[in-house]
mmCIF file of all heavy atoms in Angstrom:
data_model
loop_
_atom_site.group_PDB
_atom_site.id
_atom_site.type_symbol
_atom_site.label_atom_id
_atom_site.label_comp_id
_atom_site.label_asym_id
_atom_site.label_seq_id
_atom_site.Cartn_x
_atom_site.Cartn_y
_atom_site.Cartn_z
ATOM 1 N N GLY A 1 159.240 38.580 72.359
ATOM 2 C CA GLY A 1 159.106 39.928 71.798
ATOM 3 C C GLY A 1 159.866 40.110 70.435
ATOM 4 O O GLY A 1 159.674 41.080 69.704
ATOM 5 N N ARG A 2 160.615 39.120 70.166
ATOM 6 C CA ARG A 2 161.442 39.204 68.844
ATOM 7 C C ARG A 2 161.089 37.994 68.024
ATOM 8 O O ARG A 2 161.117 38.208 66.704
ATOM 9 C CB ARG A 2 162.921 39.331 69.145
ATOM 10 C CG ARG A 2 163.416 40.494 69.988
ATOM 11 C CD ARG A 2 164.929 40.556 70.122
ATOM 12 N NE ARG A 2 165.468 39.354 70.791
ATOM 13 C CZ ARG A 2 166.348 38.508 70.213
ATOM 14 N NH1 ARG A 2 166.791 38.720 69.011
ATOM 15 N NH2 ARG A 2 166.808 37.396 70.834
ATOM 16 N N PHE A 3 160.967 36.893 68.456
ATOM 17 C CA PHE A 3 160.669 35.633 67.792
ATOM 18 C C PHE A 3 159.204 35.283 67.909
ATOM 19 O O PHE A 3 158.512 35.469 68.944
ATOM 20 C CB PHE A 3 161.523 34.499 68.238
ATOM 21 C CG PHE A 3 162.976 34.580 67.945
ATOM 22 C CD1 PHE A 3 163.544 35.790 67.507
ATOM 23 C CD2 PHE A 3 163.831 33.500 68.146
ATOM 24 C CE1 PHE A 3 164.911 35.884 67.269
ATOM 25 C CE2 PHE A 3 165.160 33.563 67.914
ATOM 26 C CZ PHE A 3 165.774 34.714 67.519
ATOM 27 N N THR A 4 158.699 34.613 66.856
ATOM 28 C CA THR A 4 157.308 34.104 66.960
ATOM 29 C C THR A 4 157.328 32.621 66.383
ATOM 30 O O THR A 4 157.886 32.432 65.288
ATOM 31 C CB THR A 4 156.330 35.020 66.067
ATOM 32 O OG1 THR A 4 156.447 36.309 66.550
ATOM 33 C CG2 THR A 4 154.982 34.387 66.216
ATOM 34 N N HIS A 5 156.787 31.796 67.093
ATOM 35 C CA HIS A 5 156.535 30.455 66.603
ATOM 36 C C HIS A 5 155.192 30.201 66.218
ATOM 37 O O HIS A 5 154.138 30.599 66.828
ATOM 38 C CB HIS A 5 156.899 29.427 67.793
ATOM 39 C CG HIS A 5 156.424 28.104 67.514
ATOM 40 N ND1 HIS A 5 156.743 27.280 66.389
ATOM 41 C CD2 HIS A 5 155.679 27.153 68.317
ATOM 42 C CE1 HIS A 5 156.179 26.154 66.464
ATOM 43 N NE2 HIS A 5 155.591 26.038 67.622
ATOM 44 N N SER A 6 154.998 29.683 64.979
ATOM 45 C CA SER A 6 153.628 29.276 64.513
ATOM 46 C C SER A 6 153.714 27.970 63.874
ATOM 47 O O SER A 6 154.835 27.367 63.672
ATOM 48 C CB SER A 6 153.216 30.399 63.467
ATOM 49 O OG SER A 6 154.088 30.461 62.392
ATOM 50 N N ARG A 7 152.579 27.466 63.496
ATOM 51 C CA ARG A 7 152.557 26.089 62.941
ATOM 52 C C ARG A 7 151.325 25.885 61.984
ATOM 53 O O ARG A 7 150.278 26.630 62.167
ATOM 54 C CB ARG A 7 152.516 25.032 64.012
ATOM 55 C CG ARG A 7 151.234 25.108 64.793
ATOM 56 C CD ARG A 7 151.257 24.376 66.044
ATOM 57 N NE ARG A 7 149.997 24.337 66.655
ATOM 58 C CZ ARG A 7 149.702 24.028 67.914
ATOM 59 N NH1 ARG A 7 150.665 23.730 68.730
ATOM 60 N NH2 ARG A 7 148.534 24.036 68.380
ATOM 61 N N ASP A 8 151.487 25.057 61.095
ATOM 62 C CA ASP A 8 150.371 24.589 60.270
ATOM 63 C C ASP A 8 150.369 23.034 60.308
ATOM 64 O O ASP A 8 151.025 22.451 59.738
ATOM 65 C CB ASP A 8 150.642 25.086 58.858
ATOM 66 C CG ASP A 8 149.460 24.683 57.909
ATOM 67 O OD1 ASP A 8 148.688 23.793 58.241
ATOM 68 O OD2 ASP A 8 149.316 25.290 56.873
ATOM 69 N N LYS A 9 149.472 22.594 61.302
ATOM 70 C CA LYS A 9 149.559 21.152 61.617
ATOM 71 C C LYS A 9 149.059 20.369 60.371
ATOM 72 O O LYS A 9 149.523 19.232 60.209
ATOM 73 C CB LYS A 9 148.688 20.866 62.868
ATOM 74 C CG LYS A 9 149.384 21.388 64.129
ATOM 75 C CD LYS A 9 148.620 20.953 65.387
ATOM 76 C CE LYS A 9 148.986 19.668 65.694
ATOM 77 N NZ LYS A 9 148.485 19.180 67.066
ATOM 78 N N ALA A 10 148.095 20.838 59.703
ATOM 79 C CA ALA A 10 147.607 20.166 58.447
ATOM 80 C C ALA A 10 148.759 19.939 57.463
ATOM 81 O O ALA A 10 148.840 18.947 56.774
ATOM 82 C CB ALA A 10 146.411 20.917 57.898
ATOM 83 N N ALA A 11 149.613 21.027 57.355
ATOM 84 C CA ALA A 11 150.740 20.940 56.429
ATOM 85 C C ALA A 11 151.947 20.337 57.112
ATOM 86 O O ALA A 11 153.033 20.336 56.446
ATOM 87 C CB ALA A 11 151.046 22.298 55.871
ATOM 88 N N LYS A 12 151.769 19.908 58.351
ATOM 89 C CA LYS A 12 152.969 19.416 59.190
ATOM 90 C C LYS A 12 154.179 20.266 59.068
ATOM 91 O O LYS A 12 155.278 19.851 58.886
ATOM 92 C CB LYS A 12 153.236 17.984 58.623
ATOM 93 C CG LYS A 12 152.032 17.011 58.678
ATOM 94 C CD LYS A 12 152.400 15.734 57.876
ATOM 95 C CE LYS A 12 152.524 16.030 56.381
ATOM 96 N NZ LYS A 12 152.861 14.957 55.596
ATOM 97 N N THR A 13 153.907 21.558 59.311
ATOM 98 C CA THR A 13 155.066 22.530 59.185
ATOM 99 C C THR A 13 155.093 23.420 60.458
ATOM 100 O O THR A 13 154.036 23.837 60.956
ATOM 101 C CB THR A 13 154.825 23.359 57.960
ATOM 102 O OG1 THR A 13 154.795 22.553 56.780
ATOM 103 C CG2 THR A 13 156.037 24.357 57.761
ATOM 104 N N SER A 14 156.262 23.665 60.882
ATOM 105 C CA SER A 14 156.522 24.509 62.076
ATOM 106 C C SER A 14 157.402 25.683 61.532
ATOM 107 O O SER A 14 158.162 25.499 60.624
ATOM 108 C CB SER A 14 157.317 23.746 63.115
ATOM 109 O OG SER A 14 157.705 24.603 64.150
ATOM 110 N N TYR A 15 157.038 26.857 62.043
ATOM 111 C CA TYR A 15 157.725 28.035 61.700
ATOM 112 C C TYR A 15 158.325 28.810 62.861
ATOM 113 O O TYR A 15 157.867 28.647 63.968
ATOM 114 C CB TYR A 15 156.828 29.017 60.965
ATOM 115 C CG TYR A 15 156.097 28.494 59.697
ATOM 116 C CD1 TYR A 15 154.862 27.977 59.808
ATOM 117 C CD2 TYR A 15 156.801 28.423 58.426
ATOM 118 C CE1 TYR A 15 154.153 27.514 58.663
ATOM 119 C CE2 TYR A 15 156.198 28.015 57.333
ATOM 120 C CZ TYR A 15 154.784 27.481 57.458
ATOM 121 O OH TYR A 15 154.187 26.970 56.434
ATOM 122 N N LEU A 16 159.430 29.512 62.566
ATOM 123 C CA LEU A 16 160.125 30.250 63.575
ATOM 124 C C LEU A 16 160.446 31.624 62.971
ATOM 125 O O LEU A 16 161.316 31.697 62.017
ATOM 126 C CB LEU A 16 161.337 29.756 64.193
ATOM 127 C CG LEU A 16 161.916 30.518 65.439
ATOM 128 C CD1 LEU A 16 160.964 30.509 66.580
ATOM 129 C CD2 LEU A 16 163.276 29.919 65.843
ATOM 130 N N GLN A 17 159.688 32.637 63.139
ATOM 131 C CA GLN A 17 159.900 33.958 62.615
ATOM 132 C C GLN A 17 160.799 34.697 63.537
ATOM 133 O O GLN A 17 160.469 34.905 64.708
ATOM 134 C CB GLN A 17 158.616 34.788 62.384
ATOM 135 C CG GLN A 17 158.872 36.245 61.871
ATOM 136 C CD GLN A 17 159.409 36.254 60.537
ATOM 137 O OE1 GLN A 17 158.966 35.572 59.575
ATOM 138 N NE2 GLN A 17 160.251 37.177 60.326
ATOM 139 N N MET A 18 162.043 35.080 63.095
ATOM 140 C CA MET A 18 162.988 35.740 63.992
ATOM 141 C C MET A 18 163.125 37.171 63.434
ATOM 142 O O MET A 18 163.680 37.365 62.425
ATOM 143 C CB MET A 18 164.324 34.918 63.955
ATOM 144 C CG MET A 18 164.177 33.509 64.278
ATOM 145 S SD MET A 18 165.740 32.587 64.389
ATOM 146 C CE MET A 18 166.181 32.702 62.656
ATOM 147 N N ASN A 19 162.857 38.095 64.318
ATOM 148 C CA ASN A 19 163.016 39.548 64.036
ATOM 149 C C ASN A 19 164.090 40.215 64.982
ATOM 150 O O ASN A 19 164.274 39.531 66.076
ATOM 151 C CB ASN A 19 161.650 40.283 64.164
ATOM 152 C CG ASN A 19 160.699 39.790 63.183
ATOM 153 O OD1 ASN A 19 160.957 39.262 62.102
ATOM 154 N ND2 ASN A 19 159.458 39.881 63.543
ATOM 155 N N SER A 20 164.563 41.242 64.727
ATOM 156 C CA SER A 20 165.511 42.075 65.574
ATOM 157 C C SER A 20 166.591 41.111 66.043
ATOM 158 O O SER A 20 166.978 41.119 67.194
ATOM 159 C CB SER A 20 164.793 42.620 66.751
ATOM 160 O OG SER A 20 163.654 43.434 66.369
ATOM 161 N N LEU A 21 167.094 40.397 65.080
ATOM 162 C CA LEU A 21 168.189 39.518 65.415
ATOM 163 C C LEU A 21 169.441 40.133 66.012
ATOM 164 O O LEU A 21 169.871 41.195 65.530
ATOM 165 C CB LEU A 21 168.609 38.600 64.157
ATOM 166 C CG LEU A 21 167.541 37.552 63.878
ATOM 167 C CD1 LEU A 21 167.750 36.975 62.447
ATOM 168 C CD2 LEU A 21 167.736 36.285 64.886
ATOM 169 N N LYS A 22 170.093 39.446 66.952
ATOM 170 C CA LYS A 22 171.251 39.894 67.588
ATOM 171 C C LYS A 22 172.356 38.932 67.351
ATOM 172 O O LYS A 22 172.140 37.791 67.124
ATOM 173 C CB LYS A 22 170.976 39.957 69.113
ATOM 174 C CG LYS A 22 169.808 40.792 69.503
ATOM 175 C CD LYS A 22 169.546 40.750 71.052
ATOM 176 C CE LYS A 22 168.392 41.478 71.454
ATOM 177 N NZ LYS A 22 168.181 41.467 72.961
ATOM 178 N N PRO A 23 173.609 39.376 67.525
ATOM 179 C CA PRO A 23 174.745 38.466 67.263
ATOM 180 C C PRO A 23 174.672 37.278 68.260
ATOM 181 O O PRO A 23 175.079 36.108 67.826
ATOM 182 C CB PRO A 23 175.914 39.355 67.651
ATOM 183 C CG PRO A 23 175.410 40.673 67.308
ATOM 184 C CD PRO A 23 174.136 40.777 67.642
ATOM 185 N N GLU A 24 174.127 37.396 69.414
ATOM 186 C CA GLU A 24 174.007 36.256 70.339
ATOM 187 C C GLU A 24 172.935 35.295 69.888
ATOM 188 O O GLU A 24 172.715 34.157 70.484
ATOM 189 C CB GLU A 24 173.712 36.724 71.725
ATOM 190 C CG GLU A 24 172.552 37.698 71.876
ATOM 191 C CD GLU A 24 173.005 39.122 71.957
ATOM 192 O OE1 GLU A 24 173.916 39.431 71.126
ATOM 193 O OE2 GLU A 24 172.453 39.888 72.839
ATOM 194 N N ASP A 25 172.190 35.551 68.898
ATOM 195 C CA ASP A 25 171.182 34.626 68.411
ATOM 196 C C ASP A 25 171.818 33.606 67.322
ATOM 197 O O ASP A 25 171.153 32.651 67.068
ATOM 198 C CB ASP A 25 170.098 35.337 67.638
ATOM 199 C CG ASP A 25 169.125 36.186 68.596
ATOM 200 O OD1 ASP A 25 168.898 35.667 69.677
ATOM 201 O OD2 ASP A 25 168.782 37.268 68.167
ATOM 202 N N ALA A 26 173.070 33.891 66.923
ATOM 203 C CA ALA A 26 173.693 33.039 66.045
ATOM 204 C C ALA A 26 173.902 31.586 66.602
ATOM 205 O O ALA A 26 174.403 31.500 67.736
ATOM 206 C CB ALA A 26 175.083 33.585 65.659
ATOM 207 N N ALA A 27 173.526 30.615 65.806
ATOM 208 C CA ALA A 27 173.627 29.299 66.301
ATOM 209 C C ALA A 27 173.081 28.380 65.170
ATOM 210 O O ALA A 27 172.584 28.840 64.129
ATOM 211 C CB ALA A 27 172.654 29.133 67.568
ATOM 212 N N ILE A 28 173.174 27.072 65.489
ATOM 213 C CA ILE A 28 172.506 26.113 64.528
ATOM 214 C C ILE A 28 171.114 25.889 65.210
ATOM 215 O O ILE A 28 171.084 25.601 66.348
ATOM 216 C CB ILE A 28 173.247 24.788 64.408
ATOM 217 C CG1 ILE A 28 174.522 24.977 63.807
ATOM 218 C CG2 ILE A 28 172.393 23.793 63.570
ATOM 219 C CD1 ILE A 28 175.448 23.782 63.847
ATOM 220 N N TYR A 29 170.081 26.081 64.403
ATOM 221 C CA TYR A 29 168.764 25.931 64.879
ATOM 222 C C TYR A 29 168.105 24.585 64.463
ATOM 223 O O TYR A 29 168.268 24.178 63.312
ATOM 224 C CB TYR A 29 167.835 27.108 64.340
ATOM 225 C CG TYR A 29 168.064 28.384 65.092
ATOM 226 C CD1 TYR A 29 169.256 29.064 64.923
ATOM 227 C CD2 TYR A 29 167.165 28.902 66.025
ATOM 228 C CE1 TYR A 29 169.431 30.239 65.702
ATOM 229 C CE2 TYR A 29 167.326 30.069 66.636
ATOM 230 C CZ TYR A 29 168.434 30.756 66.515
ATOM 231 O OH TYR A 29 168.758 31.924 67.201
ATOM 232 N N TYR A 30 167.580 23.966 65.393
ATOM 233 C CA TYR A 30 166.996 22.535 65.212
ATOM 234 C C TYR A 30 165.496 22.643 65.501
ATOM 235 O O TYR A 30 165.087 23.193 66.436
ATOM 236 C CB TYR A 30 167.653 21.549 66.096
ATOM 237 C CG TYR A 30 169.098 21.444 65.792
ATOM 238 C CD1 TYR A 30 170.078 22.138 66.525
ATOM 239 C CD2 TYR A 30 169.618 20.441 64.966
ATOM 240 C CE1 TYR A 30 171.431 21.961 66.518
ATOM 241 C CE2 TYR A 30 170.972 20.264 64.777
ATOM 242 C CZ TYR A 30 171.860 21.020 65.426
ATOM 243 O OH TYR A 30 173.231 20.799 65.334
ATOM 244 N N CYS A 31 164.738 21.960 64.670
ATOM 245 C CA CYS A 31 163.381 21.764 64.913
ATOM 246 C C CYS A 31 163.191 20.353 65.422
ATOM 247 O O CYS A 31 163.940 19.409 65.258
ATOM 248 C CB CYS A 31 162.456 21.948 63.695
ATOM 249 S SG CYS A 31 162.638 20.815 62.469
ATOM 250 N N ARG A 32 162.117 20.236 66.226
ATOM 251 C CA ARG A 32 161.728 18.994 66.918
ATOM 252 C C ARG A 32 160.281 18.813 66.735
ATOM 253 O O ARG A 32 159.540 19.797 67.050
ATOM 254 C CB ARG A 32 162.281 18.910 68.349
ATOM 255 C CG ARG A 32 162.057 17.548 68.994
ATOM 256 C CD ARG A 32 162.315 17.686 70.456
ATOM 257 N NE ARG A 32 161.047 18.078 71.034
ATOM 258 C CZ ARG A 32 161.013 18.405 72.436
ATOM 259 N NH1 ARG A 32 162.018 18.219 73.215
ATOM 260 N NH2 ARG A 32 159.823 18.882 72.972
ATOM 261 N N MET A 33 159.890 17.557 66.517
ATOM 262 C CA MET A 33 158.383 17.347 66.495
ATOM 263 C C MET A 33 158.266 16.002 67.197
ATOM 264 O O MET A 33 158.968 15.131 67.182
ATOM 265 C CB MET A 33 157.857 17.160 65.051
ATOM 266 C CG MET A 33 157.885 18.475 64.300
ATOM 267 S SD MET A 33 156.987 18.188 62.696
ATOM 268 C CE MET A 33 157.273 19.803 61.939
ATOM 269 N N THR A 34 157.139 16.033 67.899
ATOM 270 C CA THR A 34 156.727 14.774 68.612
ATOM 271 C C THR A 34 155.523 14.128 67.793
ATOM 272 O O THR A 34 154.488 14.740 67.597
ATOM 273 C CB THR A 34 156.207 15.039 70.030
ATOM 274 O OG1 THR A 34 157.197 15.740 70.739
ATOM 275 C CG2 THR A 34 155.822 13.814 70.739
ATOM 276 N N ILE A 35 155.791 12.926 67.294
ATOM 277 C CA ILE A 35 154.886 12.290 66.292
ATOM 278 C C ILE A 35 154.672 10.857 66.835
ATOM 279 O O ILE A 35 155.625 10.115 67.066
ATOM 280 C CB ILE A 35 155.551 12.165 64.951
ATOM 281 C CG1 ILE A 35 155.869 13.548 64.393
ATOM 282 C CG2 ILE A 35 154.602 11.498 63.945
ATOM 283 C CD1 ILE A 35 156.695 13.636 63.149
ATOM 284 N N ARG A 36 153.491 10.624 67.212
ATOM 285 C CA ARG A 36 152.974 9.303 67.629
ATOM 286 C C ARG A 36 153.828 8.934 68.947
ATOM 287 O O ARG A 36 154.259 7.813 69.152
ATOM 288 C CB ARG A 36 153.120 8.273 66.677
ATOM 289 C CG ARG A 36 152.355 8.393 65.381
ATOM 290 C CD ARG A 36 152.603 7.301 64.412
ATOM 291 N NE ARG A 36 151.990 7.549 63.070
ATOM 292 C CZ ARG A 36 152.445 7.110 61.973
ATOM 293 N NH1 ARG A 36 153.480 6.338 61.971
ATOM 294 N NH2 ARG A 36 151.843 7.246 60.854
ATOM 295 N N GLY A 37 154.051 10.070 69.741
ATOM 296 C CA GLY A 37 154.689 9.833 71.039
ATOM 297 C C GLY A 37 156.267 9.717 70.919
ATOM 298 O O GLY A 37 156.900 9.635 71.994
ATOM 299 N N ARG A 38 156.859 9.842 69.667
ATOM 300 C CA ARG A 38 158.252 9.827 69.625
ATOM 301 C C ARG A 38 158.802 11.121 69.165
ATOM 302 O O ARG A 38 158.124 11.856 68.443
ATOM 303 C CB ARG A 38 158.732 8.812 68.623
ATOM 304 C CG ARG A 38 158.276 7.355 69.118
ATOM 305 C CD ARG A 38 158.876 6.318 68.143
ATOM 306 N NE ARG A 38 160.405 6.307 67.960
ATOM 307 C CZ ARG A 38 161.079 5.607 67.194
ATOM 308 N NH1 ARG A 38 160.375 4.721 66.386
ATOM 309 N NH2 ARG A 38 162.405 5.685 67.128
ATOM 310 N N GLU A 39 160.000 11.521 69.482
ATOM 311 C CA GLU A 39 160.628 12.808 69.183
ATOM 312 C C GLU A 39 161.464 12.585 67.930
ATOM 313 O O GLU A 39 162.269 11.651 67.893
ATOM 314 C CB GLU A 39 161.419 13.352 70.328
ATOM 315 C CG GLU A 39 160.536 13.862 71.465
ATOM 316 C CD GLU A 39 161.348 14.424 72.571
ATOM 317 O OE1 GLU A 39 162.587 14.473 72.513
ATOM 318 O OE2 GLU A 39 160.734 14.945 73.595
#
């Protein structure tokens, strides 16, 4: 209800739209992709 994940696979790009952020959302954010079966 606050975050949205989207992607553009052709552009090999992942997005995370974060709205209504709260103090407890504070962190280091990491993206992960599975490419040819490897992370």
Side-chain angles (χ1 to χ4, degrees):
R2 301 185 297 120
F3 290 13
T4 303
H5 164 50
S6 61
R7 67 193 185 198
D8 183 338
K9 294 190 78 173
K12 300 170 293 174
T13 304
S14 175
Y15 302 100
L16 185 68
Q17 176 68 43
M18 306 185 294
N19 299 328
S20 302
L21 281 159
K22 304 176 181 179
E24 52 263 42
D25 294 319
I28 298 175
Y29 283 71
Y30 298 91
C31 68
R32 189 192 77 184
M33 294 189 186
T34 303
I35 303 172
R36 299 176 190 154
R38 296 184 62 180
E39 293 183 355

